[in-house]
Amino acid sequence: MAVTLRVNGKEQSVETEPDTPLLYVLRDDLALNGAKYGCGLGQCGACTVLVDDKPVLSCLTPLMLLEGRSITTVEGLGTVGKPGPMQQAFIEEQAAQCGYCIPGMMMRAEALVRRNPDAGDTEIRDALEANLCRCGTHSRILKAVARARDLKRGGGA
Amino acid sequence: MNALSRRGLLKGAGALVVSFSMSRAFAQEGEVAGGAPKEAVPELPGALAQSPFLDSWIRIEADGSIKVFTGKAELGQGVKTAILQVAAEELEVEPRAIEMITADTGQTPNEGYTAGSQSMPNSATAVRNAAAQARALLIGQAAGRWSLDPATLRAENGSVIAPNGETLSYGALVSSTLLHVEAQPQSPLKAPDQLRQIGQSMQRIDIPGKVTGGEAYVQDMRMTGMVHARVVRPPSYGAQLQAVDTAGVDAMPGVVGVVRDGDFLAVVADKEFRAIKAMRMLAKAAQWSESETLPDSSALPDFLRQLPREDGTVASEGTPVPSAHTYEASFTRPYQAHGSIGPSCAVALWEDERMTVWSHTQGVYPDQKAIGEMLELGPDRLRVVHREGSGCYGHNGADDAAADAALIAQRFPGRPVRVQWMREQEHGWEPLGPAMVTQVRAGIDASGQISEWNYELWSNTHSTRPGPAGALLAGRHSAKRFAPEEPELEITKSGNGDRNSVPLYVSPSKQVVWHFLKDMPLRVSALRGLGAYANVFSIESTMDELALLAKTDPVAFRLKHLEDLRAKAVVEEAATRFGWSNEPLPQNTGRGFGFARYKNFAAYCAIALEAEIDPISGRVQVKRVVSAIDSGQAVNPDGIRNQTEGGILQSLSWTLFEAVPFDRTRVTGIDWSTYPILRFSGVPASVEVHVIDRPGEPFLGSGEAAQGPMAGAIANAIRHATGLRLTDLPFSRERVRAALMQAAGTELTQNG
Ligand code: FES
Ligand code: FES
């Protein structure tokens, strides 16, 4: 079955079994590294991406539900040469140890600040509750998201 | 990297192996039990003692390009950046001028494992000294060409500069043999006040790629023609494969083949999700016999105490003085998991009768040996290359996944095989941090000084790393059935289960015994800090009880029993920054303190924290943490902070939430719902780390220093808040609630 998606702003037609979770479509068919496999069970958030601006666990979302939807992965937030505000903030705060959980954290945070540009520290913390980090980078992740929110609001605050 | 250049690398590997100035000895970490080599006594600084040739560490080409080699692997601890900094410092070049090559049996020195907080003391020290000596050789070359006194020359930005301003670039000075010389014991290291890179919080070089979706992990490797494999693991440790009908699986879309080798079962498919579906089908088709091999988890401490044991004396010093008061208690720690967020993964390619394995192993050379034994391949036909994985914190499934990939790849010549473990496989099969029981009896004399210290611990070895093929699941399960190595009791300076079992505190007598348990009903190996976590937890809990008996503030009591000035300094720094006092706190809130010098010879770490205990639910919420760490000369202070913050939060997770559940047959904690860990709601409002820099002192490494002190500090805060001394890890809600109810009941009976 062929499904047409918009991935990071680009039309993509994917021809694969309809029950394939989006995670494997992104990684295997589209060669994108951002969404990570962590559990495949909806327990860790490592696979979080945006579907029409909402955070979605790509490991649990089959391709057949996604016809015509717009998907954003961490690759869609910027590049090494031109990092977006969320990426910039994580680099500035050095908010990674192994970094494996980080793209999922960034995508969930991105969804939050798109929805609520004034999200406070408690809202940030609550939003990230679904995502696990084993390295104990939590404090830096919280600081990075707050910084990204401020960067997005125009560099200040 | 594309398939072509990978193949190019692979072809080149043979030449590199041959020309490589090989190590004199096998680098060791003091972490490996059994027949492994002992720690070397270095006559040369750091790991130069094992790999003395300068060009094992640094190569400069005629075009001026510089490569720095380290046998250590980036595990998310920032070591690649820190080693880059020391190399750039002593070579007098910008960090961006250097290409870093890490752990690769085809290219880098054999530095054993990246473990035990040894990368800075061993590898960074070697690179720093090698770089300084290389700089001196380059200056010497220039002096010869110009007929000038080398003392009048200086190096800057990749060139040697004469007093008249004339320059010669490193590329122009270097020859193929210049750096192929053995290192000298003394190096012309730059003076502390001349340092430009060391001591700077340089941004980590790996982070930009990781936050933009770059190919950062072995999981991200995509090679031309690559296929996806999944292993069907036995349903329990003791299970044996009785029968499997693979016909249905073979017919599934995309399936390339099924591999059966003894009890080792795997399936390979063209696409990843097809491999998963085939794995599920294959698991259904397999029939296993299972047996009960595990102890009763509800009586684990008793089980450990009654296992056959061999006793090792860790310390037997001095004679006790009479005690006015004594404190006696037993502490326990359950099996705990590494629980990497990304399950283990590896890629292997069998081509032209040669194997290349890309793995997030902590030890490319030990893995090469183990996989080589399993597949009967010599080092000339087997190359193991490190690629980053998710954080591992010790010996997780990395080596096993590498062996899986190699075993499978040999059946599919020319096709790169990617093996990705499933979540339940990582949880169910990774080697766990061993359960431990400790028993302490300590006293104070009439003046409030410690009078005696007696300590016993019951524990397995904390390292079953490869080494032998029997250390690998694929080796054990395959038809050859390699047997795991018999663990052996060994008392070393670094310690293993006994790591940090001897308190640093002054006592007229210290008696410490390790009851070494050979039986390993659950698979165990190295987890961050090894025995230090439970030992420091036990010691620091006891110190607070002794302070109470001595009616002395716990921080003052510690300071009274510390002689080492650097130890005192971290304790004072943490206490001052925290605002340690005896001021009353709100109800159900307590302060706690913990300290240790890791291994008693590495980094010093002290932690003060405040925690609130909800008496209804039993929930412990750590509110703020302030710590101080001295890991010698700080190469990258922010890197040290990052590692220490991580250690603090991971130890918080172990201490409040984590115990691997199992029944008589199998591990039942196989995902994040059956093995919960810290989530954001449990993260303290603030975690501060203060780095005490010691310019001119050796690098001590930082990765594991916080684990024990954090557990002690939490236990002590609970004691302060509630009066309860909790001795059994973890301090789960249920445990804390039960202890509070029991205490309340006792009080009622007493008052009634
Ligand atoms: S991988 Fe999707 S939630 Fe864990
Ligand atoms: S940074 Fe390693 S899991 Fe979060």
Side-chain angles (χ1 to χ4, degrees):
Chain A
M1 170 177 147
V3 171
T4 305
L5 310 168
R6 241 190 131 65
V7 180
N8 297 328
K10 217 170 94 193
E11 290 278 313
Q12 299 271 14
S13 175
V14 182
E15 174 85 57
T16 192
E17 285 93 338
D19 61 341
T20 308
L22 174 60
L23 174 66
Y24 299 104
V25 173
L26 294 170
R27 296 191 60 88
D28 214 3
D29 294 279
L30 303 177
L32 292 169
N33 297 318
K36 304 292 184 204
Y37 170 69
C39 65
L41 304 164
Q43 297 176 343
C44 76
C47 64
T48 308
V49 300
L50 302 188
V51 176
D52 298 337
D53 279 357
K54 292 208 179 54
V56 160
L57 299 173
S58 64
C59 72
L60 294 183
T61 311
L63 179 64
M64 59 190 156
L65 301 181
L66 296 169
E67 174 65 44
R69 302 295 202 102
S70 177
I71 320 286
T72 312
T73 69
V74 80
E75 286 92 340
L77 301 184
T79 59
V80 172
K82 206 166 173 294
M86 186 62 69
Q87 294 163 325
Q88 188 62 38
F90 272 73
I91 294 170
E92 284 169 3
E93 292 291 338
Q94 292 285 286
Q97 286 179 66
C98 77
Y100 196 89
C101 69
I102 297 295
M105 297 278 180
M106 293 168 73
M107 297 320 291
R108 191 168 300 275
E110 180 73 20
L112 172 69
V113 294
R114 281 187 188 181
R115 189 177 73 240
N116 177 4
D118 299 318
D121 292 351
T122 315
E123 283 149 314
I124 295 173
R125 204 180 258 260
D126 289 350
L128 293 175
E129 184 70 3
N131 288 47
L132 291 175
C133 172
R134 188 54 166 163
C135 294
T137 314
H138 304 74
S139 313
R140 286 177 182 235
I141 294 168
L142 292 171
K143 282 185 204 146
V145 176
R147 183 187 278 248
R149 170 202 62 203
D150 296 346
L151 285 174
K152 280 179 179 258
R153 277 201 303 222
Chain B
M1 202 189 288
N2 62 30
L4 209 91
S5 61
R6 275 196 205 293
R7 229 180 308 269
L9 258 178
L10 193 70
K11 287 243 170 68
L16 280 164
V17 170
V18 178
S19 68
F20 180 58
S21 22
M22 285 310 295
S23 327
R24 276 208 299 234
F26 187 78
Q28 266 308 320
E29 304 288 322
E31 191 183 276
V32 180
K38 305 279 192 304
E39 284 163 276
V41 187
E43 70 267 23
L44 289 169
L48 281 170
Q50 287 82 35
S51 301
F53 282 92
L54 297 184
D55 63 352
S56 297
W57 303 94
I58 295 164
R59 291 195 213 154
I60 302 175
E61 304 299 333
D63 65 2
S65 65
I66 302 173
K67 285 195 174 108
V68 168
F69 299 82
T70 166
K72 299 295 184 184
E74 177 63 50
L75 309 172
Q77 83 283 44
V79 72
K80 207 168 167 178
T81 306
I83 293 178
L84 173 62
Q85 282 177 272
V86 302
E89 181 75 70
E90 296 292 349
L91 282 172
E92 294 289 11
V93 297
E94 289 305 313
R96 64 172 173 278
I98 295 175
E99 186 188 344
M100 288 291 298
I101 313 284
T102 57
D104 175 349
T105 62
Q107 300 195 68
T108 66
N110 180 358
E111 292 199 72
Y113 293 108
T114 305
S117 299
Q118 291 287 296
S119 299
M120 297 307 290
N122 289 347
S123 201
T125 301
V127 168
R128 186 179 183 191
N129 282 274
Q133 296 187 24
R135 168 174 36 87
L137 289 171
L138 290 159
I139 289 178
Q141 269 315 93
R145 298 231 191 136
W146 286 326
S147 305
L148 288 170
D149 175 0
T152 64
L153 310 180
R154 66 195 167 85
E156 194 183 300
N157 210 6
S159 294
V160 179
I161 305 177
N164 67 2
E166 218 181 311
T167 66
L168 273 169
S169 73
Y170 289 175
L173 291 167
V174 82
S175 65
S176 61
T177 53
L178 183 70
L179 299 184
H180 191 63
V181 292
E182 290 205 28
Q184 303 298 312
Q186 295 297 327
S187 312
L189 297 181
K190 290 173 69 177
D193 62 345
Q194 298 294 308
L195 301 178
R196 294 178 309 122
Q197 305 293 341
I198 291 177
Q200 301 302 312
S201 289
M202 178 180 160
Q203 291 197 340
R204 288 231 322 251
I205 55 177
D206 55 326
I207 291 181
K210 287 175 174 177
V211 300
T212 51
E215 183 193 312
Y217 306 94
V218 69
Q219 283 91 344
D220 301 333
M221 283 177 66
R222 281 182 203 86
M223 294 167 69
T224 309
M226 187 173 84
V227 288
H228 293 271
R230 286 295 183 280
V231 178
V232 173
R233 289 268 175 244
S236 56
Y237 285 135
Q240 285 176 338
L241 186 56
Q242 298 303 309
V244 58
D245 176 6
T246 64
V249 178
D250 283 323
M252 288 178 76
V255 167
V256 178
V258 171
V259 176
R260 181 180 175 182
D261 186 341
D263 292 335
F264 182 89
L265 199 54
V267 60
V268 179
D270 59 349
K271 296 185 77 179
E272 187 160 15
F273 191 60
R274 286 175 167 175
I276 293 173
K277 286 204 273 191
M279 170 199 74
R280 289 184 186 142
M281 175 80 105
L282 188 59
K284 279 203 197 105
Q287 292 168 32
W288 304 85
S289 66
E290 292 195 80
S291 50
E292 296 193 341
T293 58
L294 304 185
D296 176 2
S297 63
S298 66
L300 186 58
D302 297 337
F303 171 79
L304 295 176
R305 278 175 182 269
Q306 59 77 41
L307 275 179
R309 65 204 208 195
E310 185 183 340
D311 289 349
T313 302
V314 187
S316 178
E317 302 165 9
T319 36
V321 301
S323 296
H325 303 278
T326 56
Y327 174 72
E328 203 165 336
S330 176
F331 300 86
T332 67
R333 175 239 172 136
Y335 292 100
Q336 292 176 321
H338 300 77
S340 298
I341 291 297
S344 294
C345 181
V347 178
L349 173 61
W350 175 246
E351 196 176 44
D352 305 330
E353 300 291 305
R354 300 159 70 93
M355 183 74 76
T356 306
V357 184
W358 291 269
S359 162
H360 52 104
T361 175
Q362 288 182 292
V364 286
Y365 282 93
D367 239 20
Q368 181 193 39
K369 183 165 169 272
I371 296 172
E373 184 191 345
M374 179 178 81
L375 299 179
E376 294 175 24
L377 291 175
D380 54 329
R381 290 170 65 209
L382 172 61
R383 177 178 177 193
V384 181
V385 186
H386 180 264
R387 281 279 185 281
E388 274 190 69
S390 180
C392 62
Y393 334 104
H395 179 191
N396 68 350
D399 303 317
D400 297 307
D404 293 343
L407 188 66
I408 298 165
Q410 218 177 20
R411 312 287 177 97
F412 301 93
R415 308 204 73 168
V417 174
R418 176 181 180 274
V419 175
Q420 166 73 68
W421 279 21
M422 305 301 287
R423 167 52 50 203
E424 64 275 14
Q425 294 174 335
E426 187 76 28
H427 263 89
W429 285 96
E430 66 149 276
L432 306 168
M436 284 172 69
V437 175
T438 72
Q439 174 86 39
V440 64
R441 187 168 50 80
I444 51 165
D445 63 18
S447 74
Q449 285 293 127
I450 294 175
S451 50
E452 57 177 322
W453 193 283
N454 306 285
Y455 186 83
E456 298 163 85
L457 65 115
W458 287 257
S459 172
N460 286 143
T461 177
H462 287 242
S463 178
T464 61
R465 293 179 186 274
L472 304 167
L473 290 178
R476 276 186 220 179
H477 294 158
S478 72
K480 288 186 194 152
R481 296 194 194 282
F482 292 94
E485 201 173 35
E486 273 273 290
E488 268 174 46
L489 171 64
E490 232 189 323
I491 306 292
T492 59
K493 182 165 173 255
S494 303
N496 179 297
D498 59 332
R499 182 170 289 176
N500 278 92
S501 59
V502 182
L504 198 66
Y505 303 109
V506 175
S507 167
S509 100
K510 293 179 188 175
Q511 311 296 331
V512 178
V513 177
W514 178 4
H515 304 301
F516 179 79
L517 311 176
K518 274 199 171 163
D519 290 1
M520 297 181 282
L522 282 93
R523 186 174 189 225
V524 295
S525 196
L527 174 59
R528 198 175 191 175
L530 310 191
Y533 170 66
N535 292 326
V536 172
F537 158 61
S538 308
I539 292 170
E540 290 302 290
S541 299
T542 303
M543 284 300 283
D544 263 38
E545 291 301 324
L546 295 178
L548 280 167
L549 290 172
K551 299 192 172 50
T552 309
D553 171 80
V555 172
F557 187 74
R558 283 175 175 79
L559 288 170
K560 234 166 75 156
H561 289 90
L562 287 171
E563 282 173 334
D564 183 333
L565 295 179
R566 287 169 70 179
K568 281 180 188 267
V570 293
V571 169
E572 278 162 355
E573 177 80 355
T576 310
R577 299 276 192 164
F578 178 81
W580 188 265
S581 77
N582 293 314
E583 291 295 309
L585 287 170
Q587 228 197 342
N588 302 319
T589 304
R591 293 183 194 92
F593 202 88
F595 160 80
R597 181 175 195 195
Y598 189 50
K599 301 182 195 170
N600 287 347
F601 64 79
Y604 304 82
C605 179
I607 298 177
L609 59 82
E610 195 176 303
E612 187 178 347
I613 293 85
D614 177 1
I616 310 294
S617 69
R619 178 173 194 250
V620 177
Q621 178 74 36
V622 176
K623 296 166 72 120
R624 70 186 179 101
V625 185
V626 177
S627 69
I629 181 160
D630 167 355
S631 43
Q633 173 139 36
V635 172
N636 187 322
D638 189 61
I640 296 172
R641 277 195 291 275
N642 200 355
Q643 278 291 287
T644 309
E645 287 168 25
I648 285 170
L649 292 182
Q650 188 174 70
S651 178
L652 182 150
S653 183
W654 294 354
T655 304
L656 295 185
F657 305 111
E658 298 185 32
V660 173
F662 54 90
D663 61 24
R664 301 307 289 254
T665 309
R666 77 197 82 231
V667 169
T668 54
I670 52 165
D671 59 19
W672 299 120
S673 71
T674 47
Y675 186 81
I677 61 169
L678 173 71
R679 286 188 183 267
F680 274 92
S681 52
V683 174
S686 74
V687 179
E688 279 176 38
V689 178
H690 300 281
V691 176
I692 301 183
D693 190 9
R694 299 283 182 192
E697 291 289 339
F699 310 142
L700 295 178
S702 317
E704 297 155 314
Q707 309 307 111
M710 186 62 185
I714 294 174
N716 291 336
I718 296 173
R719 172 74 162 95
H720 187 224
T722 65
L724 289 176
R725 170 56 61 195
L726 299 184
T727 55
D728 297 314
L729 294 166
F731 309 141
S732 61
R733 287 182 198 206
E734 301 72 41
R735 277 235 175 101
V736 174
R737 192 171 53 217
L740 284 167
M741 276 168 58
Q742 202 194 353
T746 318
E747 216 167 283
L748 268 182
T749 348
Q750 278 168 0
N751 293 348

